Amino acid sequence: MNFSFISGEAARASGELLVIPLFEGELGDKSPAPLAGADKALEGKLAAAATQEGFKGKGEQSFVVHTLGRLETERVLLLGLGTPARYTPEILRQAAGRAAKTAQRLKVRTVVFAVPETPDVVDALRAVVEGLELGAYRFERYKSSAKEEKNAPKLTAVRLALPAGVDKTKEHEQTVALGQRVAEATNWARDLVNEPPNVVNPDSLARAAQEMAGDAGLKATVVCRKEIERLKMGMFLGVAQGSANEPKLIHLEYTPKNAKQARQPPVALVGKAITFDSGGLSLKPTDSMVEMKTDMAGSAAVLGAMKVIATLKPPFPVHAFIGACENMPSGTSYRPSDILTARSGKTVEITNTDAEGRLVLGDVLTWACEHKPAVVIDLATLTGACVIALGNYIVGAFGDHDPTVYDVLEAAHTAGEEMWRLPVTDLQKDALRSEVADMKNSGERWGGAINAALFLKEFVGETPWVHLDIAGPSVSPKERGYLGKGGTGVGVRTLVEYVRRRARIEGSEASESTAPTFKPSRGGRSKG
């Protein structure tokens, strides 16, 4: 989309659709300027018609009316934001997503969007841009009808009207650009998740990572089975051995050009990349297997985030580590009762071949920690137990280093991605106790998400670490706001925001000290 700013009243701007977000109670005498101007041009009939149809500005409400030539736009769309007391930028982001879907349905090319008056116009502006870009996303490339609609009108231009009394600044322009980059990277990650498993396999995922890295100016290293064997990643190889598609180990690196900054400990991002998970010999039921092409959503989020991080140029290195493979049943598959030796030297008894993601992640986390990072954040569609606990839209966050967990939760809150902290407690450790090896890969059913996090914790040592279980939010079961049914790209916005916040802190400390260090805040939005 092409975003531009307009001066003057939104109601006087030309376009095909005028979008006016409203809080509850604003449809009346206290109407904001865009609504007052549009209602005046329509001789009071806009507010009257909206009221008659039951529109009150409640969350998720919308109302569309034709202007009959009384305005420079053909239609007006009112969007409900709910009560001002409960407002967050995410509510506006969701509303903007609904606006994009309405524009698509109406085959609109140009939108005038009246940015509402909120406590922070910069946050609101970014929410609008991201919501529109994310809401316009569709994955229909394999539908015959999509080819027929290729030349149909699409939303390509958005004219932004700032609140009354707010003049456009360079910061506003930079915010729009950042919002676009983040949303486009999220949509790119959604494409990776939505592609079928005969298209996205370990090899093609590695090639996508290399192509993106080349475009972004990142260093990319991809190695195959022989090098993985040399690295003694026995758990990773065990999972991969049942598939005809060879495993790939992917390492992307952003390094600052400043020599002193380049020597800083990196931020390590680790993404689960099981490009198809059949469950292996512990075979999944058909209904559970249908969406298992999405079991690489963690890696898609990490790659999408790196796409943006490369443009942010933080004053410290950022590395991405991904182990990509399939979990398939065959005569060469690993078996229940097998004992695998991890890169760390730990031995693991296999009790369930469908608990494979933690095995691959264990070896990759070990490898990542060998690079001596300042912090490790992993994203994984790891457990159904987390979906049972938190549902389809909330990420489970684990970690025992409070400052790091708090900083990730704060970044997620700012980015509009809901996360809830769950415990990593030794009370559950007995569930992974093995009679024949150092540990089991799967314990009892109860506390399954905690058990999986405890397993991963065995491979990070003393490195500050946060595990994000995105099994629920990685795929949306229905349309909701800017989400469509399918891959969501969850995690991209949080990782980008985390790096941005860390870069600001390190930058401010660098200006005050000759030896800058990162000092995470001890406050934060910790739930649960």
Side-chain angles (χ1 to χ4, degrees), residues 382-410:
L382 206 60
T383 65
C386 202
V387 186
I388 292 170
L390 300 179
N392 291 311
Y393 301 106
I394 302 174
V395 175
F398 300 81
D400 58 3
H401 188 258
D402 287 345
T404 303
V405 177
Y406 293 152
D407 284 321
V408 171
L409 290 172
E410 279 293 302

Side-chain angles (χ1 to χ4, degrees), residues 422-489:
L422 293 171
V424 184
T425 170
D426 286 348
L427 292 172
Q428 284 288 118
K429 209 165 184 180
D430 281 351
L432 298 177
R433 196 180 304 280
S434 169
E435 298 296 326
V436 294
D438 294 331
M439 59 197 302
K440 297 188 293 190
N441 77 318
S442 180
E444 61 191 14
R445 178 185 178 189
W446 318 115
I450 299 172
N451 297 341
L454 280 170
F455 184 91
L456 297 181
K457 184 184 172 186
E458 292 293 316
F459 300 95
V460 296
E462 298 301 315
T463 304
W465 157 77
V466 177
H467 161 56
L468 301 178
D469 193 330
I470 62 171
S474 63
V475 177
S476 178
K478 62 180 181 180
E479 284 199 356
R480 177 177 173 269
Y482 53 76
L483 297 176
K485 189 175 181 180
T488 64

Side-chain angles (χ1 to χ4, degrees), residues 200-207 245-248 250 273 275 324-326:
V200 171
N201 55 39
D203 181 66
S204 58
L205 182 65
R207 280 189 278 109
N245 287 312
E246 289 289 299
K248 302 289 181 181
I250 304 164
T275 59
C325 68
E326 293 179 327

Side-chain angles (χ1 to χ4, degrees), residues 187-195 200 205 208 293 296 300 303:
N187 287 341
W188 180 77
R190 289 162 105 177
D191 276 347
L192 289 175
V193 176
N194 287 328
E195 286 283 3
V200 171
L205 182 65
K293 65 178 185 178
M296 39 63 69
L303 292 174

